[in-house]
Amino acid sequence: MSKDIKQMILEIKKHPYIAIGGVVIIVIFLAAVAAPLLTKFNPLEVNGKDRLLPPSLVHPMGTDHFGRDVMSRLVYGARISMEVGISVVILSTFMGGLIGLVAGYYHKVDNFIMRILDGFMAFPGIIIAIILAAVWGAGKLNIILALSFAYFPQMARVVRGCVLTGKEWECVESAKSSGAKDGHILFKYILLNSLSPIIVQATFTFAVAILDEAALSFLGLGIEPPFPSWGGMITEGRSFMSIAPWEMIFPGAAIMVTVLGLNLLGDGLRDYLDPRLEV
């Protein structure tokens, strides 16, 4: 076994949250990708004679009130959750990163930009997302945009803090004195050396995006029926909670496990990437 592999194993042992969270997310991601291989049922197919069947060998997670297989809807719903989460992370990181770079590097606009972001952050992100989703309407694209606008200020603050710290580095001062352009300094010397807190914040944004997508779908502002989403499945199943609790238990458990895995991964990465923390 090479030294690099041994070192990696030792680091994972020091930070077990990375391994636990990473395995959880990888399993869920693979389940979403391999959804057609994991179930033979169409998640949209209605079958009246199989309504509200309890978990069995044929239907491991039972059926819902339309006779649709809960397991098939769960794994196909994972695709939507992963798509929303990844898209929100990309958009919020891009918007927040760009704004944070400008605010942190250019003092003249810093105060103006940060007061606007403070206005955004005065409201919980889910409230902003609900308002935007209500205005723009339901649908996957609108939900992605709403959640991205709701959570990019947090990323902007993280990036701004990195820039304020990076401006004092000797390599940055040397680059300035040699006549390097601002864009070159920002991306080569500051941004690339500040990826650790950005990655950690991205994992937490991923978790919040999945949780809030479920909340919006639960409120009827998310993914439109009959397409499966975990929050929508809980909404549909609450009317049958007393006679078919599996309609709510399984999607609720999927949300809980996914968010827990992402939070564990984020905590582990924070401990691993932050040299100021002692393990």
Side-chain angles (χ1 to χ4, degrees), residues 41 77 130 138 150 165 210 244 255:
F41 296 100
I130 289 174
T165 302
I210 290 177
I255 295 170

Side-chain angles (χ1 to χ4, degrees), residues 16-57:
Y17 286 174
I18 296 178
I20 297 171
V23 168
V24 169
I25 300 308
I26 289 172
V27 168
I28 294 173
F29 180 80
L30 291 177
V33 173
L37 302 177
L38 296 177
T39 177
K40 63 181 179 179
F41 296 100
N42 185 334
L44 305 180
E45 184 178 355
V46 176
N47 190 345
K49 67 178 182 179
D50 289 338
R51 293 179 67 249
L52 302 176
L53 292 179
S56 63
L57 292 177

Side-chain angles (χ1 to χ4, degrees), residues 30 57 60 83 86 145 167 181 246 266:
L30 291 177
L57 292 177
E83 288 177 14
I86 293 172
L145 293 175
K167 285 168 64 176
K181 294 182 179 179
W246 54 85

Side-chain angles (χ1 to χ4, degrees), residues 94 97-98 101-102 105 163 181-195:
F94 176 77
L98 188 61
L101 286 173
V102 173
Y105 196 76
V163 174
K181 294 182 179 179
D182 291 346
H184 179 77
I185 294 174
L186 281 170
F187 286 97
K188 182 177 181 179
Y189 294 101
I190 297 179
L191 185 61
L192 293 181
N193 290 305
S194 304
L195 291 179

Side-chain angles (χ1 to χ4, degrees), residues 57-176:
L57 292 177
V58 178
H59 301 284
M61 296 182 182
T63 62
D64 65 8
H65 53 290
F66 288 117
R68 299 172 298 194
D69 182 68
V70 172
M71 180 177 172
S72 67
R73 292 181 63 77
L74 194 74
V75 292
Y76 278 95
R79 286 185 167 187
I80 293 177
S81 294
M82 291 293 109
E83 288 177 14
V84 170
I86 293 172
S87 299
V88 170
V89 166
I90 292 173
L91 284 177
S92 62
T93 301
F94 176 77
M95 292 189 297
L98 188 61
I99 292 173
L101 286 173
V102 173
Y105 196 76
Y106 299 104
H107 180 71
K108 292 182 179 180
V109 298
D110 182 28
N111 189 58
F112 174 73
I113 292 176
M114 295 315 298
R115 296 298 74 78
I116 295 176
L117 294 183
D118 287 343
F120 272 95
M121 297 180 68
F123 301 93
I126 185 62
I127 299 299
I128 297 176
I130 289 174
I131 294 172
L132 293 176
V135 172
W136 293 339
K140 184 164 61 178
L141 178 59
N142 290 342
I143 295 307
I144 290 171
L145 293 175
L147 292 174
S148 298
F149 275 102
Y151 290 108
F152 84 88
Q154 286 86 338
M155 183 61 74
R157 276 196 168 276
V158 170
V159 175
R160 172 182 177 268
C162 294
V163 174
L164 291 175
T165 302
K167 285 168 64 176
E168 308 299 327
W169 293 340
E170 293 183 2
C171 60
V172 173
E173 296 294 338
S174 300
K176 287 181 180 179

